[in-house]
Each structure stands twice: as structure tokens, then as C-alpha cells.
Amino acid sequence: MTSTESDLKENNEVILTMAAREVEGFNGYQGTGFRISGTAEFLDEGEYFDKVHEKYPFANRALVVDVKDAKQLL
């Protein structure tokens, strides 16, 4: 994540994709995906970081994304 963190300092706009087989997609298709675009930053303190660190004690930063657009792909 070190290179990603450096990249975000230059340009904080991101596009993320994620998918899950457990969620039904379009037309009864098993599985679906999403494309999320927005701006992102890494936090190492504060409310969001505390929530991540509580669940994942090994985490030393939290990626926070301000979502501008989300689209279901499948």
C-alpha cells in the first residue's frame, strides 16, 4: 500500500471494483460486481481509523473513499 499511498498524494481520484458471488445480480445471475469512483485518502487516526483498527488490529492505516458514483456491473 505504500506505492498506492504515494500515488494518492499526487492524484486522489480512484476507481474501485468489487464483486461477490453471494449477491444476486441482474436477471437472477449468481454474483454481481460494482464499480465505485470517487476520491480517497489514507487515515492513521480518528473515528474511521479506530473502527478499522478495532476489527483488524494489524491495520496501521484505513482507506477512506468519498463515493461520487457507484454502478452495478453484473
Side-chain angles (χ1 to χ4, degrees):
M1 290 300 214
T2 303
S3 64
T4 302
E5 190 170 12
S6 295
D7 291 343
L8 286 178
K9 289 178 183 175
E10 296 292 323
N11 180 358
N12 68 344
E13 293 181 24
V14 296
I15 298 173
L16 305 170
T17 56
M18 58 189 73
R21 289 187 180 134
E22 297 80 12
V23 179
E24 185 177 315
F26 296 129
N27 300 319
Y29 184 78
Q30 186 61 41
T32 192
F34 294 89
R35 181 181 61 224
I36 297 171
S37 59
T39 56
E41 65 178 317
F42 280 99
L43 300 177
D44 59 6
E45 62 183 8
E47 178 185 353
Y48 293 123
F49 171 76
D50 292 342
K51 287 181 180 182
V52 170
H53 191 68
E54 182 179 313
K55 187 168 184 176
Y56 305 101
F58 57 87
N60 58 14
R61 290 184 301 287
L63 178 65
V64 177
V65 178
D66 181 20
V67 177
K68 303 296 183 196
D69 184 57
K71 180 177 180 179
Q72 186 174 357
L73 301 175
L74 298 172

